[in-house]
Amino acid sequence: MSLRDIHLLGSPVLRQRSAEVVTVDDEVRAFVTDLFDTMDFSKGVGLAANQVGIARRIAVVGVAERRYALINPVIVERAGTVKDEEGCLSIPEIYGDVERAALVVVEALDEHGVTRRIEGSELLGRALQHEIDHLDGILFLDRVGPIKRRFLVREWKKSRKGEIGYIKVLREPVAADAAKA
Ligand SMILES: [Zn+2]
């Protein structure tokens, strides 16, 4: 298991538009594995490359048994709208209602470089839209409306009191694993 450090609100890479992936090679596949490991460790349903400091168009989502690597993902269809609560591993413990398409169809390359079409609604649809936003430098805070956004940013700053820097280092639970073995 290889965990990556998570970049938090304030880290400039979260505001970058990520670059297209030209070749899906072993290095990209290893990176996808790290993204899945880091997402699972953090109990998230999605993680984008720029959340771990890499501005490339790579993300992962995982809702129950539906797990996808998304390379150069594009939303090709959307239908309906639905508002629900959303959070982000880069803005821990802050949640807000975000309106999203109720259903999306995404085209992306998978970790083998094969084009896939993924249809998602409910939590999966929301995760797909949230992660593709990340790749464009957009955070869910940008979609909650200005008043709510000011409130949430204030809450975030309060929760960060005394902490410096914008990178959260994840620790692998070595001792716990050893005890189980
Ligand atoms: Zn996020």
Side-chain angles (χ1 to χ4, degrees):
M1 185 160 84
S2 197
L3 297 177
R4 300 281 181 135
D5 298 342
I6 293 189
H7 286 240
L8 303 177
L9 182 62
S11 175
V13 71
L14 292 176
R15 291 311 195 172
Q16 276 185 43
R17 190 176 189 281
S18 299
E20 299 271 329
V21 174
V22 178
T23 314
V24 181
D25 54 15
D26 285 345
E27 185 251 320
V28 168
R29 278 185 281 279
F31 180 65
V32 163
T33 302
D34 286 358
L35 282 181
F36 273 123
D37 287 347
T38 305
M39 177 187 81
D40 290 339
F41 181 83
S42 308
K43 299 185 170 29
V45 293
L47 190 64
N50 41 358
Q51 289 183 276
V52 299
I54 309 284
R56 299 180 75 187
R57 300 189 82 75
I58 305 173
V60 295
V61 295
V63 175
E65 75 287 357
R66 296 190 69 184
R67 295 166 66 84
Y68 304 102
L70 308 167
I71 298 165
N72 300 337
V74 178
I75 296 174
V76 293
E77 279 179 52
R78 31 180 115 227
T81 55
V82 62
K83 203 172 193 178
D84 207 347
E85 191 173 69
E86 215 164 288
C88 180
L89 292 176
S90 293
I91 320 168
E93 282 153 57
I94 300 293
Y95 301 91
D97 284 344
V98 180
E99 189 170 286
R100 299 277 187 189
L103 180 140
V104 287
V105 178
V106 171
E107 266 187 20
L109 299 176
D110 68 9
E111 65 272 41
H112 308 292
V114 176
T115 301
R116 302 271 301 258
R117 271 174 87 87
I118 301 151
E119 190 179 299
S121 59
E122 299 183 350
L123 186 57
L124 178 62
R126 187 163 289 276
L128 288 165
Q129 293 171 80
H130 181 111
E131 298 317 321
I132 293 170
D133 266 358
H134 270 304
L135 300 180
D136 291 323
I138 297 166
L139 300 172
F140 85 88
L141 288 180
D142 305 334
R143 299 194 183 278
V144 296
I147 293 165
K148 184 73 175 176
R149 182 192 154 99
R150 265 199 300 280
F151 171 77
L152 291 178
V153 169
R154 217 179 305 133
E155 290 296 296
W156 163 252
K157 285 183 178 157
K158 226 189 288 171
S159 76
R160 292 277 295 160
K161 212 170 180 185
E163 286 182 65
I164 47 166
Y166 294 112
I167 295 176
K168 181 176 169 185
V169 179
L170 303 179
R171 306 261 177 235
E172 294 182 23
V174 178
D177 279 356
K180 263 182 253 163

